[in-house]
C-alpha cells in the first residue's frame, strides 16, 4: 500500500559581502551573498531537508556534513539531485514541493519560474510540482535588516 508523507525544511544563512547570492540554484545580482560551507543556497537547503524529512532520512547535515571538505563550495542543486536519487532508490515518488524564501532584497519574482524549473529539473519532476514564494521580513529583526535570509519548504512524497 502506498501512503503519503510530508516533510518540513527550514534553513537560514548570513548575508555577507564577497559571496554570490544563489537561491534555488539561480544566481541573483546582489552586493551581498549567502555565507556557508557550500554555496549556502537557503532555499535549496530547505527543500532538501523537507524531502529528507518526508522520507524519514534525517537531515542535510547528516548526509552532507559541513565538516567534510567534499562539500566545500558545493553546488546545492547537485546535493538536491543526490537526495532525489536516494528517494527514488527508496521507492518514493515526489508529489510536490512548496517553498518560501525570506529575504529583504533583491526581488525574487522575476526569477521565480527559473527557480522552479531548476529545482524540478534536479528532482526529475515537472516544474508545475514545485511552487516557490518569496516574502520580505518587513524590516523586522535581523532578516529585515538584511543580515541574512531564510528558506522554508514542505515536501510531499508518495511511497
Ligand atoms: Mg544551509
Amino acid at each position: 500500500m502506498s501512503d503519503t508523507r510530508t516533510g518540513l525544511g527550514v534553513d537560514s544563512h548570513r548575508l555577507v559581502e564577497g559571496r554570490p547570492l544563489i537561491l534555488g540554484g539561480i544566481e541573483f545580482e546582489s552586493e551581498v551573498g549567502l555565507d556557508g560551507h557550500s554555496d549556502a543556497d537557503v532555499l535549496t537547503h530547505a527543500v532538501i531537508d523537507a524531502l529528507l524529512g518526508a522520507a524519514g532520512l534525517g537531515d542535510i547535515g547528516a548526509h552532507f556534513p559541513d565538516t567534510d571538505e567534499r562539500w566545500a563550495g558545493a553546488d546545492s542543486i547537485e546535493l538536491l539531485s543526490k537526495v532525489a536519487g536516494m528517494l527514488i532508490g527508496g521507492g518514493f515518488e515526489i508529489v510536490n514541493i512548496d517553498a518560501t524564501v525570506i529575504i529583504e532584497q533583491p526581488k525574487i519574482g522575476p526569477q521565480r519560474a527559473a527557480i522552479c524549473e531548476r529545482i524540478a529539473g534536479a528532482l526529475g519532476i515537472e516544474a508545475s510540482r514545485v511552487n516557490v514564494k518569496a516574502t520580505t521580513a518587513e524590516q523586522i529583526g535581523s532578516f529585515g535588516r538584511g543580515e541574512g535570509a531564510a528558506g522554508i519548504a514542505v515536501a510531499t512524497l508518495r511511497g
Side-chain angles (χ1 to χ4, degrees):
M1 190 189 86
S2 93
D3 64 341
T4 303
R5 302 172 62 136
T6 300
L8 170 71
V10 177
D11 191 35
S12 56
H13 283 267
R14 290 191 311 133
L15 282 164
V16 298
E17 287 181 7
R19 291 271 300 180
L21 177 61
I22 298 169
L23 295 166
I26 301 295
E27 187 164 349
F28 285 78
E29 281 221 23
S30 174
E31 285 172 13
V32 290
L34 291 161
D35 194 24
H37 186 67
S38 65
D39 62 9
D41 180 341
V42 281
L43 182 56
T44 301
H45 290 185
V47 171
I48 287 173
D49 262 357
L51 289 165
L52 291 172
L57 291 173
D59 64 18
I60 188 170
H63 294 275
F64 311 108
D66 63 8
T67 49
D68 189 331
E69 274 310 303
R70 267 186 302 167
W71 315 122
D75 175 351
S76 296
I77 289 290
E78 280 182 27
L79 305 185
L80 182 62
S81 283
K82 288 184 194 291
V83 169
M86 286 178 215
L87 299 183
I88 290 158
F92 290 105
E93 176 194 346
I94 300 163
V95 177
N96 77 301
I97 303 282
D98 185 29
T100 299
V101 58
I102 303 168
I103 192 165
E104 215 60 16
Q105 57 179 344
K107 289 278 175 237
I108 306 305
Q111 300 281 14
R112 185 204 305 266
I115 291 173
C116 292
E117 294 270 353
R118 192 98 165 91
I119 291 172
L123 296 175
I125 60 176
E126 289 178 23
S128 63
R129 291 184 178 270
V130 178
N131 190 70
V132 170
K133 310 180 296 297
T135 187
T136 69
E138 294 285 344
Q139 299 173 6
I140 301 163
S142 53
F143 293 136
R145 289 189 296 273
E147 293 170 13
I152 302 171
V154 173
T156 301
L157 303 180
R158 200 178 288 129

